[in-house]
Amino acid sequence: MMPRVPCAPGRAPNRRWTVVHTDPAQIRAFFAARAADWETRYPDDAPAYRAGVAELGLREGQAVLDAGCGTGRALPFLRAAVGASGTVVGADLTPEMLAAAAGAGRREHGALLLADCARLPLRDGTLDAVFAAGLIGHLPDPRACLRELARVTRPGGRLALFHPIGRAALAARQGRELTPDDLRAEPNLGPLLESSGWNMTFYADTDERFLAMASTKAQALSNMML
């Protein structure tokens, strides 16, 4: 499934800014050009991020990754959830996004890591949970990324695939139609997670949010070796 890069707000829907990229360098270039004013494009999303992080049920002292963290909008909420004794890492493919995160003071809440989510420099079973906002729609190889996230998450750990608006609202923003092959549609996402070392435990897709929750299988790490 190839990623659809979101249209710039303010553009007419019929401009069709749903550009498809399969090369990580193209994805980096797209987001690099938009990093400086990314949060001003979507200034009212913080409450949705807070609620999405809360769904992970994090506890004091746990370790959590924000995969595809962008400007690090979720990092303060993740830090509040795991406390000073916990570990928070934000990973992103685009240096300019991480620079914007640092400029916004997000480094105070977690480490910022320049990395492809399909090749993370983390040990097996390091994490208790992964938060991924808007990530799944921008991946050249979603299965490879989800397998990698399963590898670095302990058995029984949790994953939240999140977006502050639902699929239909996002499609309208991007000026496109929802189609049956939409990766985030429940009939498609469930089997994808299942084949990638995860069990989907919750699915919600409303105008107000998209949230799919999953947990790593007990044998996820060994499965990745097959």
Side-chain angles (χ1 to χ4, degrees):
M1 183 70 178
M2 294 182 291
R4 295 182 178 89
V5 178
C7 69
R11 296 283 183 175
N14 61 8
R15 296 289 182 91
R16 305 297 297 175
W17 276 57
T18 54
V19 180
V20 174
H21 293 322
T22 59
D23 181 356
Q26 293 177 314
I27 297 171
R28 282 196 299 269
F30 181 92
F31 285 104
R34 292 157 176 79
D37 65 345
W38 185 258
E39 291 199 30
T40 64
R41 295 166 178 258
Y42 314 107
D44 302 321
D45 287 347
Y49 273 78
R50 182 186 294 109
V53 167
E55 295 281 357
L56 277 172
L58 293 165
R59 300 190 302 276
E60 181 84 21
Q62 290 192 316
V64 60
L65 170 69
D66 185 355
C69 68
T71 59
R73 185 167 293 192
L75 295 182
F77 307 123
L78 293 169
R79 172 57 66 193
V82 302
S85 63
T87 299
V88 178
V89 177
D92 201 274
L93 188 67
T94 305
E96 290 81 359
M97 280 288 190
L98 294 177
R106 272 46 183 284
R107 201 185 295 276
E108 299 174 8
H109 306 288
L112 299 178
L113 178 66
L114 180 64
D116 185 335
C117 77
R119 293 181 296 275
L120 291 168
L122 300 174
R123 294 190 300 273
D124 293 356
T126 300
L127 304 171
D128 296 290
V130 177
F131 183 79
L135 176 69
I136 194 71
H138 301 299
L139 298 173
D141 188 344
R143 183 171 285 105
C145 180
L146 290 170
R147 284 177 173 171
E148 178 71 347
L149 295 178
R151 179 189 69 80
V152 299
T153 305
R154 65 172 177 79
R158 301 173 303 286
L159 168 68
L161 299 176
F162 165 82
H163 199 282
I165 58 176
R167 291 189 308 123
L170 182 60
R173 174 191 287 177
Q174 296 177 343
R176 61 180 173 84
E177 300 291 332
L178 282 180
T179 59
D181 66 346
D182 188 333
L183 182 64
R184 289 161 292 187
E186 188 172 7
N188 301 328
L189 185 57
L192 174 62
L193 287 165
E194 177 72 22
S195 68
S196 305
W198 300 91
N199 290 315
M200 191 160 71
T201 58
F202 177 82
Y203 184 92
D205 180 22
T206 67
D207 284 347
E208 291 76 25
R209 69 168 181 175
F210 173 87
L211 181 66
M213 301 288 298
S215 61
T216 47
K217 300 176 183 180
Q219 298 301 316
L221 297 182
S222 61
N223 287 347
M224 298 304 102
M225 302 297 292
L226 298 179

